[in-house]
Amino acid sequence: MTRFSLISLFPFHRLALGDLAVAVPFVCKSWYRASLDPSCWRRLNFRSLDFMPWSPFSRAFALRYHLHSLLSFSAFLRFALHHSRGVIDQLAFPLSSVVSIHDLAYASVKCPRLKALALPDNLMLEDDLRIPELERRWKDLEHLEMETKPSSFLEAVAEIGRNCPRFVGLKVRGLIGREDAKALARCLPELKHLELSKSYLTKDELLVVIGGCRKLETLTVKDCLGFQADDEILKLVSRIEWFEHEGSTLVYSYTCSNISSRSALQVSFFLSTLDP
Amino acid sequence: MGKTIKLISGDGEMFEVEEAVAFQSNIIKSLADEDNADDCIPLPRVDSQILSKVLEFCRKHANSPSVHTKFAAIPSELCPKHDGSAAGASSSESSSAHSETCRACYDAVMKLVQWDLEFVKVDLDLIHHLLKAANYLDIEDLMFMAVEGAANAIRGNNPEEIRKLFDLENDFTPEEEKEILKEYSWLDDPFEP
């Protein structure tokens, strides 16, 4: 009798993406079958892996699956989506430049019921403009993370407001101007969680957002440049349960606060607050 | 000490613990609810070494909300900031809203999670026994963390190392392995329709 012959107790659904792809299926036949269960592939955090073609993971994958060429992110994306059989709750694209707009478009077709999405970072300008069109397909979206504010931000926010009735959480970083703040207030009045840390943001914009998004439960504006939390702001945010503004200053200073490290179990603020 | 429960391990050792600690186990809770004159609950399938580890976990979690199975479901009565003075119904919806936004609860939960992660950094044999005990005694949080510990044990390992860890045999024939690889031959050209 082997250990873990109680296969139903073994945590296949908790395994890291890399292990699930490269090691687990090749242990033995029952582990192979278990690795095919779509529930193991419902939350895809591609940020946990290094997709540079020469990384240990890419090389291990290419070796294991006898690829004739180097592993591309596109190939692995299709591999993972194939395993999930279209039932994906969370998807976090990598932040490096390995992602193309075609990958995003592919995901929008293959994962129609996506609830939480973290967009890739380094899209080209013309690809940036396609984000709103792709968002139309994700009607169940609840959380969206954008590491940098895309040029299509206004349209993207409008699209979410029109298409995603369950949307509650947004994270974005960049220069939050007057039009951006107005768009948030106008298009996302039901927003519950907003994370704008490390952005350029003045008090005026902050007030517009707070005034329009009256259902906010958390507002995180740490390490921003352009405002300091004065009495007026603090009074207005008193109804918001969780307001973080450490490090935000009017003028850039050379002492920057560190954002405290997250637990290993958390991918990001948003992606962890969804129920399993 | 408040009301206590006496537990007897499979190898005959007696453990006396507070109700709040023992009742982390849904099985013990339901057994204690039945009329039991001795207040002595036998647990034949758990030996003393494992039971003492399990109780160590339960002691830590006794006065904390269930943190893992529903990350956000901390009833406001248990919130260190509000210390029982929070008004309103503790329906599951309002509890989850509370803990998602209460900084004190969030910090308490993160601390507990860190402790738990250390707790399960043990050898695979112990993880296996904890998993079985958590399943048998129906302790949700221990189940969750033992699972996490098992998943961590295989992180970054190759199939051969995993087989060694779990005493598993490679029952693939070379032909069967080839068949699997054939199924993924499209990876070489993922854009072919």
Side-chain angles (χ1 to χ4, degrees), chain B:
Chain B
M1 265 218 265
K3 185 147 190 280
T4 60
I5 299 279
K6 295 194 188 79
L7 305 168
I8 314 261
S9 70
D11 49 349
E13 201 176 310
M14 204 263 284
F15 294 80
E16 185 166 1
V17 290
E18 286 184 32
E19 251 186 19
V21 174
F23 284 4
Q24 295 285 300
S25 155
N26 290 326
I27 296 294
I28 294 178
K29 187 153 185 253
S30 57
L31 286 174
D33 276 347
E34 299 165 16
D35 251 335
N36 196 330
D38 289 338
D39 277 321
C40 227
I41 298 181
L43 301 172
R45 280 161 70 175
V46 191
D47 77 22
S48 52
Q49 189 209 4
I50 303 303
L51 188 54
S52 83
K53 263 312 239 186
V54 169
L55 292 175
E56 182 189 340
F57 184 92
C58 293
R59 221 166 271 124
K60 188 77 182 177
H61 282 244
N63 293 307
S64 297
S66 167
V67 301
H68 304 297
T69 52
K70 287 221 185 296
F71 186 89
I74 302 180
S76 34
E77 307 92 72
L78 287 177
C79 170
K81 183 171 89 178
H82 299 145
D83 53 59
S85 56
S90 59
S91 68
S92 62
E93 204 181 293
S94 67
S95 331
S96 75
H98 168 82
S99 60
E100 254 174 49
T101 59
C102 172
R103 188 52 188 274
C105 283
Y106 180 83
D107 287 343
V109 163
M110 292 324 290
K111 254 209 181 114
L112 193 55
V113 164
Q114 290 305 325
W115 185 91
D116 286 350
L117 285 173
E118 280 306 310
F119 184 81
V120 293
K121 276 202 187 129
V122 291
D123 64 79
L124 215 53
D125 245 332
L126 185 51
I127 294 272
H128 181 60
H129 286 297
L130 287 176
L131 208 50
K132 278 201 355 210
N135 188 43
Y136 167 60
L137 294 171
D138 192 9
I139 306 174
E140 276 191 289
D141 278 354
L142 181 57
M143 191 71 195
F144 188 97
M145 283 321 292
V147 154
E148 192 70 23
N152 281 334
I154 83 160
R155 200 143 288 171
N157 286 331
N158 64 41
E160 185 50 53
E161 288 162 346
I162 296 177
R163 272 181 229 125
K164 265 207 223 109
L165 271 178
F166 293 98
D167 280 335
L168 294 166
E169 274 203 37
N170 182 2
D171 55 357
F172 284 116
T173 65
E175 292 76 38
E176 283 165 336
E177 280 217 34
K178 272 214 197 89
E179 277 304 309
I180 295 178
L181 294 178
K182 246 206 250 164
E183 283 202 38
Y184 295 107
S185 56
W186 55 267
L187 283 169
D188 266 320
D189 194 353
F191 300 106
E192 208 181 81

Side-chain angles (χ1 to χ4, degrees), chain A residues 155-171:
Chain A
E155 222 352 81
V157 167
E159 205 60 59
I160 295 172
R162 275 195 288 267
N163 273 305
C164 309
R166 282 189 269 274
F167 194 79
V168 293
L170 179 67
K171 172 180 170 176

